[in-house]
Amino acid sequence: MTHGVGIVGAGPGVAALHLPTLERLADAFRVVHIADGGSGRSAALAARVDARSSTGAEAIMADPEVEVVAICSPPAQHAAQIVAAVAAGKRAVFCEKPIGTTVAEAEEAVEACRRAGVALIVGTNHYFDPAWGRAKHHLTASGGPVVSISVTLALPPNARYHELVTELPEAAAVGRGVPDLTRAEVAAGVVRQLLTGLAIHDLPLVRDLAPRFERVVFARALPPVGYAVGFVASGIPVQLTTAMLPDGADTLWRIAVATTTDRLDVSFPPPFVHAGGARVRVRAADGRDTIYAHDPGDGYVAEWRALAELLDAGLPVEYDELLDDARYGLQLAETAAELIGAAS
């Protein structure tokens, strides 16, 4: 059975990520409608898949062929559009990260889905990557408790993230789209937005291993655009580091987990690249070096497959897990921003 999908948003993520992914899943989904926020880009994207196009989310919600609403709009619109999809009687929602910009928004969106029995998937492709399942199996079987976690990102210029952080009120950008990080309120806002828009990819993985957020130890914005944040969760130190450099090299996106017996590295492909799953490597204290076989499957396909299973097999939706993921990320972002702001 194929399900009609309406996509709210017509940015690079839709063009390079969701449309190619859904084309690979033609047995389960068919894109029937794409709406932009006023850019006019939806017409060309819709023509690629023989779908309708419009401006604004209202036509998507009113379209009777749309069973599944894919929310790929700016983060500030996510929660309200989830609620609107539920009110319109849609069967399922796929929402890009985050599901809300505040805890109250996230709670409203998730509870609306829960009350109506609407299937909800958040687009955390790293969590759905088959390599992460393999990594968790190793950590469970190895016997050594986790002693530290680090997530490191080095990204080449990416206009989406530069545009994200320069939408701050009075951001006083320096140069071309680079925020003035010497101002504490700007630095705090940049770090908050990057944590909820970028680090959020991996925070569900961190929460898997360190579920109880405790405190932020340090937080700072890194020029030209980036952050360094250290926090403690479930007694485990966690470090998040991201740098986006004008002349940056190829993408590095890695989560490293140290235990008392080894170190596990999971290296993810660059964003929007359909290159299969992440690479998993384990270096043991006794010198053994294990590189797991590469899985051609990726998290982009797996997250949409998970939504198809919720619709077709009637599997239970993990509403509480989705809400706890949102609370975890938002609490981290708010606490880090407050720490930076207090330094002014």
Side-chain angles (χ1 to χ4, degrees):
M1 178 181 180
T2 58
H3 303 282
V5 178
I7 302 177
V8 181
V14 173
L17 168 58
H18 291 299
L19 286 186
T21 297
L22 290 168
E23 287 172 352
R24 296 162 66 185
L25 296 170
D27 62 315
F29 298 105
R30 180 173 64 92
V31 178
V32 298
H33 198 145
I34 302 175
D36 59 55
S39 67
R41 290 191 295 258
S42 62
L45 293 180
R48 280 173 41 181
V49 293
D50 194 25
R52 291 178 290 284
S53 66
S54 63
T55 295
E58 292 79 7
I60 291 271
M61 303 304 176
D63 191 330
E65 286 194 62
V66 172
E67 292 181 74
V68 179
V69 177
I71 297 174
C72 307
S73 52
Q77 301 174 19
H78 288 183
Q81 288 173 350
I82 292 173
V83 173
V86 173
K90 303 308 180 184
R91 292 188 61 200
V93 173
F94 177 100
C95 186
E96 276 294 354
K97 308 159 290 288
I99 56 175
T101 57
T102 67
V103 171
E105 284 184 359
E107 290 174 344
E108 181 185 13
V110 172
E111 292 306 325
C113 290
R114 192 200 305 266
R115 287 192 301 270
V118 171
L120 175 64
I121 287 284
V122 179
T124 45
N125 62 292
H126 286 179
Y127 186 82
F128 285 95
D129 193 307
W132 181 243
R134 184 179 301 112
K136 286 198 299 181
H137 175 76
H138 168 80
L139 292 169
T140 301
S142 68
V146 173
V147 296
S148 70
I149 304 168
S150 65
V151 182
T152 306
L153 283 73
L155 300 176
N158 186 325
R160 293 187 313 119
Y161 294 120
H162 284 256
E163 290 167 1
L164 171 69
V165 298
T166 53
E167 287 177 358
L168 292 165
E170 302 177 3
V174 176
R176 291 187 61 189
V178 178
D180 181 5
L181 300 182
T182 63
R183 295 171 54 185
E185 71 275 17
V186 173
V190 166
V191 170
R192 187 192 188 284
Q193 289 196 10
L194 289 177
L195 288 174
T196 58
L198 187 58
I200 201 75
H201 284 81
D202 300 299
L203 289 176
L205 285 64
V206 172
R207 195 177 77 82
D208 250 7
L209 306 178
R212 190 182 69 258
F213 175 82
E214 296 177 21
R215 66 187 187 279
V216 173
V217 179
F218 64 87
R220 62 183 64 95
L222 300 180
V225 179
Y227 56 82
V229 175
F231 66 99
V232 177
S234 298
I236 299 170
V238 182
Q239 180 164 319
L240 311 176
T241 308
T242 290
M244 285 178 274
L245 304 174
D247 300 313
D250 291 340
T251 296
L252 167 69
W253 198 316
R254 177 181 299 157
I255 179 168
V257 182
T259 75
T260 54
T261 58
D262 56 29
R263 171 185 162 127
L264 179 144
D265 290 328
V266 183
S267 298
F268 293 97
F272 305 154
V273 173
H274 302 273
R279 307 278 179 167
V280 181
R281 181 175 188 174
V282 178
R283 298 174 177 87
D286 61 8
R288 287 176 299 160
D289 193 352
T290 303
I291 299 176
Y292 285 90
H294 182 237
D295 194 318
D298 64 41
Y300 296 129
V301 170
E303 61 192 6
W304 277 99
R305 281 287 184 207
L307 183 56
E309 290 179 358
L310 293 177
L311 287 168
D312 297 335
L315 299 179
V317 181
E318 296 183 343
Y319 297 114
D320 290 332
E321 289 296 316
L322 295 175
L323 191 50
D324 285 345
D325 280 344
R327 289 171 174 146
Y328 193 95
L330 290 166
Q331 184 178 7
L332 170 63
E334 291 293 349
T335 307
E338 289 172 2
L339 185 62
I340 293 171
S344 61

